[in-house]
Amino acid sequence: MYPAELVKPMREDLTNVGFEELQTAEAVEAALAKEGTTLVVVNSVCGCAAANARPGARQSLQNAKRPDHIVTVFAGVDREAVDAARAHMVPFPPSSPSMALFKDGELVHMLERHHIEGRPAELIAENLMDAYNDHC
């Protein structure tokens, strides 16, 4: 578990643009039970989260079509919430950072760490925007 003061700015990188932070399994289940589309970002302290994932997620929200709900869980901090979110991402193995788009509770698009690491934020944003255009 990472200290709260260490991850605070990393959390705020997403919550400041409207992401709802989920810290319990119950909160994850409630978020994924909502109608419509939900983007789940599994946040992380790693460099690729800072340089690629969080900026890509933020940039993706500039699209005309976007998810109805945007939420985040933090790997290494909110274990219960992360485990619950990852249970809905099967058959994809756990990875962080990662991003999943759900439609009416069903997984419709997934970006694993290997899709994020080493790729520019703009490419990640484009990938997500394509998914939004298809599913939102």
Side-chain angles (χ1 to χ4, degrees):
M1 298 293 274
Y2 298 102
E5 60 276 1
L6 173 74
V7 300
K8 185 177 188 285
M10 298 173 207
R11 289 181 186 271
E12 290 174 347
D13 212 6
L14 293 177
T15 59
N16 284 345
V17 296
F19 279 82
E20 177 187 357
E21 191 170 54
L22 308 177
Q23 297 180 320
T24 66
E26 292 80 15
V28 170
E29 297 304 326
L32 293 179
K34 292 179 180 175
E35 279 188 39
T37 51
T38 303
L39 176 66
V40 178
V41 174
V42 179
N43 202 348
S44 172
V45 298
C46 72
C48 65
N52 314 86
R54 291 191 299 267
R58 288 192 317 267
Q59 289 175 29
S60 77
L61 300 177
Q62 303 308 309
N63 197 46
K65 289 185 177 181
R66 53 179 284 182
D68 299 308
H69 315 284
I70 52 175
V71 301
T72 181
V73 296
F74 208 110
V77 179
D78 303 319
R79 184 180 186 104
E80 182 185 325
V82 171
D83 289 348
R86 286 178 172 161
H88 289 274
M89 297 175 189
V90 172
F92 298 96
S95 68
S96 57
S98 61
M99 302 177 198
L101 183 65
F102 294 86
K103 185 169 188 172
D104 298 326
E106 296 297 319
L107 181 64
V108 294
H109 186 75
M110 184 75 190
L111 279 173
E112 299 174 83
R113 180 185 176 103
H114 70 88
H115 297 122
I116 296 168
E117 192 172 33
R119 292 187 170 75
E122 295 79 16
L123 188 61
I124 294 162
E126 286 176 21
N127 181 295
L128 289 171
M129 289 187 267
D130 286 344
Y132 303 163
N133 290 338
D134 289 343
H135 301 289
C136 296

